[in-house]
Amino acid sequence: MAHLDVPTYADMPAPTPDELRLAYEVGTRSRSVEEHIVRLVSRGEVKFAIWGPGEEVHGTASALALAKMVPVEKFGVVPHYRSGAMLSMWARLHGYDTFTLDLLRQQFSKDTDKMSRGRQMVYHVDMRELGILPVQSPVGMQLGKAAGYAMGFKIKGVTGALTMGIVGDGTTAEGDMHDTMTAASVWQLPMIILVTDNRVAISTTPEEGRGIQDFRDYAGSFGIASVDCDGRDFWDTYQAMYRAARYIVETGKPVLVHAHDLPRFNGHSSAADVTYDLSQSDPLIALGERLVADGVIEERDALRRVKGEGRDFFAHHDLGNVMGRQDEEVRAILEQVRAEPDPPAASVMENIRKPFPDIAEPPQSGATNITYAGAIRAAINNILRDNSAALWGQDVGRLGGVMTATAGLKKRFPTRIIDAPLNEPLIVGTGCGAGLHDDFISLPEIQFGDYSLNALDRKSTRLNSSHLVISYAVFCLK
């Protein structure tokens, strides 16, 4: 099997002491937030929660590496629900200081939740101004959206752009993984497919649920470059993510990143045993010890494990000065959010979808004779003529569509009528992702109505942020 390894870069910048201190602050703050959420669950104060204690070091290192290579306006990420530290670090690096407040408003389903107004559970993040794209519960579907967003960048001619989709190792068993690897390979998309591997999918082990035996071999079979890293090690993660990001920015080609050996300290979610697992070593403690040894922070600043009793993280740890300060701020934000209003009952039917555009059709006189296919073809022509838009689907280009819906359009729009792989979830999923660009209209086309059945989940769960117009199995996403 031919492996395509990501190059190393001798001029890769090392993290500065200030950046390392920021990463440690953000990582300990993220741990504090999520362990307080575990407490809320234990007390019955919230009904459901999901979290990622153990991924703070990997997350902050990844965000720092990405920020070295790609500006926010050329970046898009469809994150995992365990990506809290990564998103918080990315936000801080771009001057956004209210990530914790936003997250806890969503956790408490408050009317002040600007992402979903109390309608989504925690970590269904949506912060477009930071390039953080909408998260949804079926994790595998994040990948198709990320591939589509990368496709949007490519079609618009944006150079130096990068999109990232994140899944856990269990999700690599989903067809979404194959769909996205196919799209990334065939279309050479500027994206990272990031697999965060903690060797468990809720309760399913790799032996029970993972068919991919070697991620380098898997990536190589698609002609996609790959790199792996120890997700517990800040510097190993930083260099791997920097190499991946730089390779994509410089070549426009995809990379699969496998971050392995990540711990999971509190179970998958509140639906599992939330007892803090003391049997695993803590990357956040190891990072603090390294920063003390390197003179970046003082010994009294560092988090350390102590003897304690009970199920709770806080009972078994001395927070140190850095996490202590973060914890005080988190507690204050918790009290603020508790006091904020819940969504009023009368608002239940609001914010379901974007309003349809107010467009007045010009008056017409006389009769017009046109076939359905001709009308669809004319509409597609006008959309492509008047907008930043593209259409992709099976046999739409060279053949012109099996029912002639795109006949002749490939000649008029050679780079925006695209023959796609024979994969309906890929076609609709990437269309949904591309349609998340404010200045782009995606037109995924399905050949026959029957062929759309295996993409119904994409249409029902991904289109919360897009208008959907169905005409002869052409989906106009904007």
Side-chain angles (χ1 to χ4, degrees), residues 418-457:
I418 301 164
D419 283 314
L422 307 186
N423 185 318
E424 290 81 15
L426 179 159
I427 293 166
V428 177
T430 55
C432 292
L436 291 171
H437 286 277
D438 288 337
D439 58 348
F440 186 79
I441 296 173
S442 62
L443 296 156
E445 195 258 12
I446 303 299
Q447 220 168 54
F448 297 102
D450 288 353
Y451 291 2
S452 70
L453 296 179
N454 64 344
L456 286 177
D457 55 345

Side-chain angles (χ1 to χ4, degrees), residues 102-109 113 120-124:
D102 294 341
L103 187 71
L104 289 175
R105 283 171 167 166
Q106 188 177 67
Q107 176 65 80
F108 279 91
S109 301
D113 166 22
Q120 276 286 16
M121 65 180 177
V122 73
Y123 281 133
H124 282 52

Side-chain angles (χ1 to χ4, degrees), residues 6 39 73 80 94 136 148 206 278 314 328 332 363 388 406 417 466:
V6 175
R39 277 186 167 180
E73 67 273 11
H80 196 283
H94 293 89
Q136 62 200 62
L278 293 165
F314 294 100
E328 287 179 8
S388 175
T406 54
I417 297 289
S466 304

